[in-house]
Amino acid sequence: MAKPKVAFFDFACCEGCQIEFTNYGEPAFLELIKHVDVVEFREAMSEKTKDPIDIAFIEGSFTREGDRARLEEIRKRAKIVIAYGQCATTAGINALKNHTADYRKEVYGKDAGMPHLDSQKAQPISAVIKVDYNAFGCPVNKVEVLQIVSHLLHGKEPVIPDYPVCVECKRRETICRYEEGDHCMGQTARAGCGAPCPADGIPCEACRGFVSDANQAALKKALIQKAGFSEARAEGKSRMFTANQRGDAK
Amino acid sequence: MSAHFIKESDFKAFVSALIKAKPVYGPTAKRSKFVFSRLESPEQLRLDYDVTLLPPKKLFFPTSQDLVRFDGDKFEACVQPEEKILFGVHFYDVKALDMTDLLFREKNPDWNYLAHRECTTLVASSIQAVAPRAFWGSVGREVQPKGHDAFLTKIQGGFVYEPRTPKGEALLKHGAFGKASDEQVAEARKANDDIKKRCPQELKKPSASIARKVRAAFDDETLWDKLAEDCFSCGSCNTVCPTCYCFDVQDVWNVDQKSGARTRTWDACLTREFAEVSLGAGAHENFRESRGERFRHRIMRKAVYLNEKLGGPACVGCGRCSSACTSDIADPVRVIEQIVKA
Ligand code: SF4
Ligand code: SF4
């Protein structure tokens, strides 16, 4: 690929994953833009484009029918589409709203009638267009994103882990949260982050979503039997980042 | 080779002298657990450890290891073996290293492992505390540890040090050793024999009969699916195992897109992706699709497939997998019991 054109687009999200892209530090970032031509990136520049692009990073979930046409238009002119961040890959935290009816009043009170709050179910962008690769995480892992870009520049398939976080905890000899009387969801959570949270004594919340064959029944059992959770708490525990991947996804 | 004795009060000075001579790795405390790490002072050495989180294999076969570094068309091997002393390895881990030594040496010798292994002086030590899931007292009794250069046993008032190789003998000059008396040697023997009876778990049958029974259960799909029902495919049982040796190799470019490294990382056959192979044109096939098949594969590898090559089972009874499995289904003793019962 001769210096590919790269663009960022955002839908329902906090744009934190785009910010993460600017966090490489100057030397790495300046080196990277020698290899890619960033043509649209509203967190860092004002230019916009309607030209064909090589790699489109799409951030955010699909939550409004009105966004369909824009997604399709991006797909049409992009050679490669990367769902960028957890909102885009699985609808991440946004999908929590799929399980509530009263969020407008609860969250916005007297402003509940604002027109832009009129959104539907939160879905990954793959619900609308074909996605070629996923950059998981809330936020994305910037080192992994760099590797995805590198692999594409070299004409290789990006390597994106689909094994649980336990693999990474065990490799770095982190004492299991369960061994310390705590709970964790690393057994079903997608790795690729390097497991920093359990190493700091914090349970894994599965911010990269579930692995593709997560054993959800066994997770619930471990939360009850090993961590002493109530049935209800164990049942709902994983929902924060995985609402769309659970057995009860709406 | 003759046996030597060092007084408890002289032991610290010995370890200090070793640390001055070469990098020394040994069991150290990590909160309530233990890990092998580089010693900075003799106080860090915890010979009273029960078991370490990862086995000492990681010093020769790191969890992630650069094999080759490249820059454009230029490339060079980058394994830099370090002359070192590995101190305080329990006999079951020595047995496991004997297995990885053999497996990495056969056919295409793997110098990335062997280079690290060969420049190491390995001092084994007696077990002073028994891990909660250990069964090394009963598994593979027919196999004796042999890859160590010396064996250190804690006895009344000090340690008996028995060199097994010239490398092990060479360490004697670093400590105030005297000749061990016959009584001290006998006391050491007894300590090492007695501890084997103190494991909380035990395999009741000899390896050959277990291997026959486990192999005979191969086609019992219902049994394997049931055993693996709560399996997370998390590979913890593989990752902590001293006899697992599978790895994955990937190229990673630096941000200049020109230079980078070819890196190998530990792999785990219990993870879903492990047996996924490309069929070309973006298609994949997984030849161990179900949890039950993957679970069976590990048990077959530990209790059956490698026995002939290794002279005994590819499990040394450290109990690490049993402790690491959140669902508590990986314990070889319980799995074998259930298979034998079925
Ligand atoms: S047997 Fe246990 S440790 Fe092994 S992959 Fe399954 S859940 Fe993980
Ligand atoms: S299978 Fe389990 S008990 Fe046996 S050597 Fe491996 S980790 Fe230790």
Side-chain angles (χ1 to χ4, degrees):
Chain A
M1 240 190 245
K3 205 161 167 178
K5 288 194 169 50
V6 171
F8 287 82
F9 304 94
D10 43 77
F11 290 80
C13 63
C14 74
E15 295 180 41
C17 290
Q18 284 189 69
I19 297 287
E20 195 60 13
F21 197 85
T22 64
N23 281 346
Y24 288 116
E26 216 164 287
F29 192 75
L30 294 180
E31 183 62 41
L32 181 66
I33 56 174
K34 285 188 197 155
H35 303 278
V36 296
D37 192 4
V38 182
V39 292
E40 179 167 344
F41 186 17
R42 79 165 186 164
E43 293 299 334
M45 58 195 270
S46 49
E47 293 88 336
K48 285 195 184 298
T49 176
K50 286 288 164 209
D51 292 342
I53 34 191
D54 294 294
I55 306 175
F57 285 96
I58 305 185
E59 189 192 26
S61 319
F62 174 65
T63 58
R64 289 181 303 182
E65 200 43 48
D67 287 336
R68 184 180 293 274
R70 187 170 159 237
L71 276 168
E72 282 169 350
E73 190 271 329
I74 296 167
R75 177 72 263 190
K76 224 173 267 161
R77 59 192 172 98
K79 279 203 195 113
I80 295 171
V81 166
I82 299 180
Y84 186 65
Q86 209 56 26
C87 296
T89 56
T90 67
I93 283 188
N94 291 333
L96 273 175
K97 75 189 278 271
N98 301 352
H99 294 267
T100 58
D102 54 355
Y103 66 91
R104 278 201 247 177
K105 237 178 89 239
E106 285 288 320
V107 180
Y108 298 97
K110 65 177 174 37
D111 296 327
M114 292 189 293
H116 67 276
L117 295 181
D118 189 18
S119 64
Q120 298 99 45
K121 213 171 79 172
Q123 288 179 279
I125 57 166
S126 60
V128 181
I129 58 171
K130 178 174 170 271
V131 166
D132 300 294
Y133 303 105
N134 288 304
F136 296 100
C138 183
V140 291
N141 171 351
K142 61 180 192 286
V143 177
E144 187 185 44
V145 171
L146 214 51
Q147 284 176 16
I148 293 175
V149 173
S150 281
H151 276 76
L152 294 175
L153 289 173
H154 290 272
K156 301 251 188 284
E157 279 285 298
V159 182
I160 297 152
D162 192 11
Y163 47 76
V165 169
C166 298
V167 172
E168 292 177 337
C169 276
K170 293 296 174 289
R171 277 185 201 150
R172 55 189 290 183
E173 300 191 280
T174 295
I175 301 172
C176 182
R177 294 311 310 145
Y178 287 94
E179 287 254 12
E180 303 213 290
D182 200 354
H183 70 276
C184 192
M185 296 196 291
Q187 312 100 292
T188 48
R190 184 188 288 271
C193 50
C197 300
D200 278 346
I202 302 163
C204 171
E205 293 283 352
C207 78
R208 293 168 61 90
F210 278 152
V211 288
S212 53
D213 64 343
N215 193 337
Q216 298 178 41
L219 174 65
K220 188 173 161 189
K221 199 162 155 185
L223 289 171
I224 294 173
Q225 293 180 356
K226 293 200 96 165
F229 276 28
S230 67
E231 161 89 24
R233 189 172 173 215
E235 175 57 40
K237 176 64 201 166
S238 74
R239 192 171 274 145
M240 178 150 70
F241 288 101
T242 69
N244 268 343
Q245 295 178 291
R246 289 162 46 99
D248 60 356
K250 292 267 157 73
Chain B
M1 286 181 195
S2 57
H4 305 262
F5 178 76
I6 186 166
K7 285 203 297 263
E8 183 105 57
S9 51
D10 291 331
F11 190 70
K12 258 193 194 151
F14 169 52
V15 178
S16 286
L18 292 181
I19 293 172
K20 271 203 202 85
K22 269 182 199 172
V24 180
Y25 293 80
T28 61
K30 178 167 185 169
R31 296 217 291 280
S32 57
K33 308 278 173 196
F34 299 94
V35 294
F36 278 100
S37 62
R38 180 149 177 197
L39 301 181
E40 272 148 31
S41 71
E43 288 78 21
Q44 289 176 301
L45 180 67
R46 289 291 299 273
L47 291 178
D48 61 339
Y49 77 108
D50 54 356
V51 67
T52 52
L53 288 167
L54 285 184
K57 168 187 83 179
K58 69 174 185 180
L59 294 171
F60 314 125
F61 174 31
T63 52
S64 181
Q65 176 183 33
D66 287 352
L67 304 179
V68 173
R69 277 194 208 107
F70 54 82
D71 189 358
D73 296 336
K74 292 195 299 283
F75 57 90
E76 53 173 4
C78 49
V79 173
Q80 281 178 334
E82 176 194 44
E83 284 270 342
K84 60 178 163 300
I85 298 166
L86 172 53
F87 202 93
V89 180
H90 288 162
F91 83 94
Y92 53 83
D93 274 340
V94 177
K95 282 170 69 170
L97 285 172
D98 291 341
M99 294 177 197
T100 47
D101 287 353
L102 184 145
L103 294 162
F104 278 120
R105 194 179 294 280
E106 66 167 1
K107 294 181 191 143
N108 276 323
D110 184 313
W111 291 109
N112 297 307
Y113 171 93
L114 294 169
H116 284 290
R117 177 71 179 94
E118 282 176 0
C119 62
T120 300
T121 303
L122 201 163
V123 180
S125 76
S126 59
I127 300 175
Q128 299 180 33
V130 181
R133 305 295 286 268
F135 57 102
W136 30 255
S138 57
V139 70
R141 288 180 220 253
E142 61 279 29
V143 187
Q144 292 308 313
K146 52 179 198 292
H148 51 302
D149 298 294
F151 202 105
L152 181 82
T153 307
K154 175 94 190 58
I155 62 164
Q156 205 63 286
F159 297 87
V160 170
Y161 183 88
E162 295 166 277
R164 302 271 200 258
T165 69
K167 260 163 106 185
E169 204 148 56
L171 299 189
L172 284 169
K173 64 172 182 287
H174 296 288
F177 284 96
K179 197 177 163 339
S181 68
D182 289 349
E183 293 74 38
Q184 286 169 325
V185 173
E187 189 188 335
R189 276 290 156 278
K190 189 168 169 341
N192 286 315
D193 286 344
D194 285 353
I195 196 91
K196 289 203 182 136
K197 296 172 204 132
R198 287 194 23 222
C199 280
Q201 306 205 96
E202 194 191 10
L203 282 174
K204 303 261 163 16
K205 298 206 158 32
S207 315
S209 108
I210 291 171
R212 265 196 310 278
K213 291 236 154 64
V214 173
R215 191 185 274 283
F218 188 94
D219 288 321
D220 190 346
E221 243 176 80
T222 331
L223 171 72
W224 296 108
D225 286 347
K226 199 173 125 254
L227 288 169
E229 193 182 331
D230 289 339
C231 178
F232 289 110
S233 307
C234 73
S236 292
C237 48
N238 298 128
T239 308
V240 300
C241 180
T243 74
C244 275
Y245 59 103
C246 287
F247 57 83
D248 188 26
V249 178
Q250 298 287 349
D251 290 346
V252 175
W253 283 270
N254 296 329
V255 70
D256 67 9
Q257 306 304 330
K258 216 161 96 356
S259 62
R262 175 161 293 180
T263 305
R264 76 164 161 198
T265 310
W266 288 5
D267 211 338
C269 63
L270 267 282
T271 59
R272 190 196 56 81
E273 291 179 305
F274 183 90
E276 202 167 66
V277 290
S278 168
L279 297 177
H284 306 275
E285 182 190 321
N286 193 327
F287 58 86
R288 278 194 290 276
E289 191 105 61
S290 73
R291 291 180 191 127
E293 286 171 297
R294 296 193 286 272
F295 191 91
R296 175 179 68 191
H297 183 69
R298 182 177 81 99
I299 299 300
M300 289 288 160
R301 295 282 302 179
K302 298 301 163 194
V304 184
Y305 293 163
L306 295 173
N307 294 25
E308 210 169 297
K309 183 182 288 184
L310 301 175
C315 168
V316 295
C318 66
R320 287 184 177 98
C321 57
S322 321
S323 300
C325 178
T326 327
S327 286
D328 202 354
I329 54 171
D331 185 339
V333 177
R334 294 192 199 160
V335 173
I336 287 165
E337 261 168 27
Q338 289 179 72
I339 294 169
V340 170
K341 255 197 344 238

